[in-house]
Amino acid sequence: MLLPLGHTTIKTGIEVVLDSTGRFVAASANDQRICAPCTEESEARTSKPVAHPLFDKLEYVAGDAQKFLDNLTVMSDEEKKDLFEKQHEAEKQYKAKEESLLKARRKAEASHESYLKALLEWSNSPGALPKIKAVHGYIAQKTLLSDLQREKILDLTLSTWSEIESDWKKEAAKGIRFRVEEPGDSKSALWLDTSLQQSWLNYYCSTLSEQRLCMATGHVELVATRHPKNLNSQSATAKLISNNDSSGFTYGGKDTEAAGEIGYEASQKAHHALRWLIAKQGYRCGEQAIVAWAIDDLPDVLPWQKDGRTTEDAFVSLYSSSQYASDPIEQASAAVDSEYAWSLRRALNGSSDLNRLSDHSRRIAIMAEDAPTKGRMAVTFYTELAEGEYLERIAAWHEACQWKIQKPADSERKQRMEFVGPPSVDSIVSAAFGKPRRNSDQSYNRIKKATRYTRYTILRCIFGGEKIPQNLVNSAVRRVSASTVVDWQWEIDLSVTCALVRKQIVDSSKKEVFDVKLELDRTDRDYLYGRLLAIADKIESAATYKRGGTEKQRATNALRYMNTFSQRPFRTWTLLFSQLQPYIQQLGGADGYLTQIGQVMSLFQPGDYEKRGALDGKYLLGFFTQRDALRHSVNNERSEDGSLAE
């Protein structure tokens, strides 16, 4: 949801219904994420008990929680006796439980005091609504926990702490939301009441006093001392802006106030809009998020002020542009235009439909953020492009990096699939670095780091016009060539590697372009050797099939020698061809295949065939296209001798 200023989202599991006088009416248990008023401190809280002023966790809201905990003993006499009889470290375990109970009591007391204080101050403010006073009147009675147990919403039977500890922690973390029913008022849900939201914002802004220069708007205004977190649900505790550290990652100048400060309103709008964009149309993978959106009325050069209009005024168009519908969410959706996010997502997934995009002139922003640690978030990529340039660069990426990509079957698609286009980012990572085995080993951490790097690399290649990194292509070529397991995943990695090699060739020479289909007249040494390797693979697999082999047969000599072949092609081909003789005899001479070998040999330029030197990635293009042609040719009918019918 696109949040109003001074609000955050919290997950609630219990709904409490009150009447207009603050008397308990009913309660129900159901999960719902809601918009909740908050302060800078409560939104940024970690372990310190700082309450939201209205909706919060049970341990904050329930005034009788401490009383409930005070009535608990650590253990019953029987439990204590059993513990000391059976455990060698019984005294240590007992003290740990005792300390845990004392900690829970202190936390319940501090949390509720913080909540009651915040709610009381709001309810006593000049603009407080009667509904807020009703909630405060009920909370002051300190009966919430007993009311919920009476309604059988909670099951916390009075017992010992050792028995109830895990249940208490689970129940205490449940969020509480309120309804206040008034005669003739259909808006009883307080989290949906816009007048209540405005009441909170007016009150909270009146409590802020420090005004300094906002580095975002260029105006002197109320300054933010803390900034929101939870921009990406996968890295909820990470902050994009943090300026209140006393050590570690902090400003090192003479005056901490000189470190780029941002106004409260600008910070709230920017963070809320970014959170909404990431949730609505972001391409997310773990702690990473990549998002694209359209920008209206934003100048190419961002001055502090131009013609009476500031950058902040431009940003406000997300909320108040008159050219869109009156609903703020519809305004924002129209302003950012999700079509561009859709095209970005499909580009990163290896497919796109540029015809979906509207024909109008706008600027497109593309941004990537990542959280390398639990508390820190950073913008790792940002660029702005004109709409035409945005579409051109996506189209250029698809043109340069396209290949016949293999896709495995899934639950919806029972058969394997092929398409001509660029590979997805995840498939590029898999081809270059492999798949992690389990979460705890080194391969997992290495591949997780490589995935982050590769996503940013692909973004720079698509929208920054950068060349595909040499090390990325080399890694994929080495893995495919040296693989000892030839399965369907290897087939996918092979097709992805070919796409990367093709992109590398386009980057280095705009004139030379390799076709996705077999090129019968290409005389490139690496390409021709790749074709020979594919024919050798086909001869052996055809002979094996003829004598009763299965589809899941062992790798051919051609595939097992692939890595050696790429390093010493002339010497390895001589050895490989000699090993083909038994298979040629099984195919009755294999005249069709031998004819193709002769045709390929005739295309070598003088000296290229005997030339020493390793092959580059282009040999995989020749191998793939020749192998694909042998598999899918319209004349791929087996003759009596098992060779291809000419």
Side-chain angles (χ1 to χ4, degrees):
M1 64 181 73
L2 186 56
L3 297 171
L5 273 61
H7 288 72
T8 188
T9 59
I10 65 169
K11 182 180 179 180
T12 61
I14 299 173
E15 183 175 305
V16 176
V17 182
L18 308 175
D19 65 14
S20 59
T21 64
R23 187 168 52 191
F24 180 85
V25 175
S28 59
N30 56 82
D31 293 338
Q32 187 173 349
R33 183 167 288 277
I34 64 169
C35 173
C38 67
T39 64
E40 288 183 291
E41 292 77 10
S42 69
E43 187 174 18
R45 73 188 182 194
T46 52
S47 59
K48 184 179 179 181
V50 183
H52 297 318
L54 182 57
F55 312 117
D56 214 327
K57 297 178 181 178
L58 177 69
E59 62 184 348
Y60 281 89
V61 181
D64 49 347
Q66 185 187 2
K67 181 180 178 181
F68 171 79
L69 294 172
D70 286 341
N71 289 330
L72 295 178
T73 58
V74 179
M75 294 181 183
S76 66
D77 292 339
E78 185 176 342
E79 288 176 315
K80 189 175 180 180
K81 181 180 178 182
D82 290 342
L83 176 67
F84 276 80
E85 286 180 352
K86 298 177 182 179
Q87 300 291 339
H88 295 293
E89 298 184 355
E91 185 175 356
K92 184 177 179 180
Q93 292 187 31
Y94 180 83
K95 287 184 177 180
K97 288 288 184 182
E98 186 178 40
E99 179 60 31
S100 175
L101 177 56
L102 291 174
K103 184 178 179 180
R105 289 169 177 168
R106 290 193 295 264
K107 185 178 181 182
E109 180 182 11
S111 298
H112 184 67
E113 284 182 358
S114 173
Y115 175 79
L116 192 59
K117 180 175 181 291
L119 184 59
L120 175 62
E121 291 175 350
W122 182 13
S123 65
N124 288 337
S125 65
L129 301 180
K131 292 179 180 180
I132 299 301
K133 298 182 183 295
V135 174
H136 176 262
Y138 171 70
I139 294 299
Q141 298 173 27
K142 299 187 177 183
T143 61
L144 175 62
L145 198 64
S146 57
D147 289 340
L148 294 179
Q149 291 197 85
R150 187 180 65 253
E151 295 286 317
K152 297 183 179 181
I153 302 299
L154 299 181
D155 184 16
L156 294 171
T157 306
L158 188 62
S159 183
T160 62
W161 177 246
S162 61
E163 293 178 333
I164 208 171
E165 180 179 6
S166 60
D167 289 336
W168 168 254
K169 291 180 178 179
K170 181 178 70 174
E171 301 295 351
K174 289 184 177 179
I176 306 295
R177 61 184 184 272
F178 293 99
R179 287 182 181 270
V180 176
E181 296 179 337
E182 294 180 338
D185 185 4
S186 60
K187 297 181 180 179
S188 60
L190 300 190
W191 62 93
L192 299 176
D193 193 333
T194 55
S195 61
L196 184 143
Q197 294 170 359
Q198 188 60 48
S199 169
W200 164 251
L201 182 59
N202 294 339
Y203 161 70
Y204 184 59
C205 287
S206 69
T207 66
L208 304 177
S209 57
E210 288 190 83
Q211 292 196 2
R212 288 194 291 272
L213 178 66
C214 171
M215 304 300 287
T217 65
H219 295 160
V220 175
E221 56 186 69
L222 295 173
V223 69
T225 58
R226 290 180 176 83
H227 299 275
K229 57 184 179 180
N230 196 24
L231 298 182
N232 181 356
S233 59
Q234 299 300 313
S235 53
T237 60
K239 286 187 176 184
L240 188 59
I241 304 175
S242 181
N243 60 351
N244 63 335
D245 287 350
S246 58
S247 62
F249 191 84
T250 189
Y251 175 68
K254 294 181 179 180
D255 183 5
T256 56
E257 293 182 2
E261 292 184 309
I262 299 178
Y264 174 74
E265 184 177 354
S267 174
Q268 287 282 303
K269 287 181 177 179
H271 282 88
H272 288 347
L274 184 55
R275 180 190 291 121
W276 176 71
L277 283 168
I278 291 173
K280 179 177 183 289
Q281 56 195 48
Y283 178 91
R284 287 185 289 182
C285 182
E287 297 82 5
Q288 288 180 300
I290 304 170
V291 65
W293 70 94
I295 301 174
D296 281 333
D297 301 327
L298 192 62
D300 293 329
V301 179
L302 301 178
W304 290 121
Q305 191 168 2
K306 181 178 179 181
D307 299 330
R309 179 178 175 79
T310 66
T311 56
E312 175 68 6
D313 294 330
F315 191 83
V316 169
S317 65
L318 282 176
Y319 297 91
S320 58
S321 177
S322 60
Q323 59 181 308
Y324 301 117
S326 58
D327 188 325
I329 300 299
E330 292 183 9
Q331 293 175 20
S333 297
V336 300
D337 205 323
S338 59
E339 287 187 33
Y340 298 100
W342 176 261
S343 68
L344 171 67
R345 180 186 292 272
R346 289 180 61 81
L348 294 174
N349 282 331
S351 58
S352 188
D353 183 5
L354 302 184
N355 295 325
R356 284 177 51 89
L357 297 176
S358 304
D359 184 17
H360 46 68
S361 179
R362 311 182 76 171
R363 289 186 66 80
I364 313 302
I366 305 103
M367 191 195 79
E369 61 83 11
D370 195 5
T373 67
K374 291 184 178 180
R376 296 285 178 264
M377 179 181 289
V379 174
T380 54
F381 178 86
Y382 184 84
T383 189
E384 292 179 15
L385 301 171
E387 181 193 40
E389 191 176 8
Y390 177 82
L391 302 183
E392 287 173 5
R393 295 195 181 185
I394 292 181
W397 165 256
H398 278 251
E399 176 63 29
C401 199
Q402 67 172 282
W403 199 254
K404 182 179 282 188
I405 304 298
Q406 315 290 323
K407 275 195 172 183
D410 56 26
S411 57
E412 296 182 0
R413 191 175 54 245
K414 302 301 182 182
Q415 295 183 344
R416 297 171 181 175
M417 175 185 173
E418 294 180 339
F419 72 94
V420 176
S424 69
V425 178
D426 290 339
S427 64
I428 293 175
V429 172
S430 175
F433 306 105
K435 290 184 176 293
R437 291 181 290 275
R438 56 183 183 273
N439 291 4
S440 58
D441 68 358
Q442 291 183 350
S443 72
Y444 178 82
N445 295 327
R446 178 177 61 84
I447 294 174
K448 184 178 180 181
K449 183 177 180 180
T451 302
R452 286 175 164 169
Y453 161 77
T454 304
R455 282 200 179 88
Y456 302 141
T457 298
I458 299 305
L459 277 178
R460 293 194 296 268
C461 291
I462 298 176
F463 300 109
E466 296 185 14
K467 297 180 179 180
I468 198 82
Q470 180 75 40
N471 63 334
L472 187 66
V473 181
N474 290 346
S475 178
V477 171
R478 283 195 300 268
R479 284 196 72 258
V480 168
S481 300
S483 178
T484 57
V485 179
V486 180
D487 54 9
W488 181 241
Q489 183 59 51
W490 180 83
E491 300 276 359
I492 297 173
D493 292 344
L494 173 63
S495 64
V496 171
T497 302
C498 288
L500 297 179
V501 171
R502 187 175 189 272
K503 175 68 168 67
Q504 184 184 47
I505 295 170
V506 173
D507 289 342
S508 60
S509 174
K510 298 294 184 182
K511 296 180 180 179
E512 186 178 24
V513 178
F514 280 73
D515 200 333
V516 176
K517 296 182 179 179
L518 177 64
E519 299 179 68
L520 296 175
D521 55 350
R522 184 171 287 278
T523 59
D524 182 271
R525 169 180 176 263
D526 304 87
Y527 191 85
L528 294 176
Y529 263 121
R531 290 185 61 187
L532 290 177
L533 188 67
I535 298 172
D537 170 64
K538 186 62 178 178
I539 290 174
E540 183 174 343
S541 61
T544 304
Y545 182 85
K546 183 179 180 181
R547 66 169 183 261
T550 63
E551 292 184 1
K552 294 184 178 180
Q553 56 197 15
R554 67 170 180 82
T556 63
N557 287 323
L559 297 182
R560 290 192 291 116
Y561 290 165
M562 200 170 187
N563 189 44
T564 305
F565 182 85
S566 67
Q567 300 300 315
R568 294 180 291 276
F570 175 69
R571 180 179 175 182
T572 309
W573 171 250
T574 304
L575 173 64
L576 189 60
F577 189 75
S578 66
Q579 293 180 340
L580 286 176
Q581 298 311 309
Y583 303 109
I584 292 175
Q585 293 176 12
Q586 292 176 27
L587 294 175
D591 294 338
Y593 293 122
L594 293 179
T595 299
Q596 291 189 54
I597 289 176
Q599 292 172 346
V600 174
M601 296 285 288
S602 67
L603 293 173
F604 278 97
Q605 297 295 317
D608 277 358
Y609 177 65
E610 305 84 359
K611 181 180 177 181
R612 292 186 177 184
L615 303 176
D616 62 23
K618 287 184 285 188
Y619 95 92
L620 291 176
L621 304 185
F623 174 79
F624 183 99
T625 53
Q626 180 67 68
R627 193 164 178 253
D628 189 62
L630 290 171
R631 283 180 171 180
H632 300 97
S633 173
V634 293
N635 294 320
N636 197 0
E637 300 287 345
R638 294 187 178 277
S639 61
E640 293 181 359
D641 64 355
S643 64
L644 287 178
E646 295 295 324

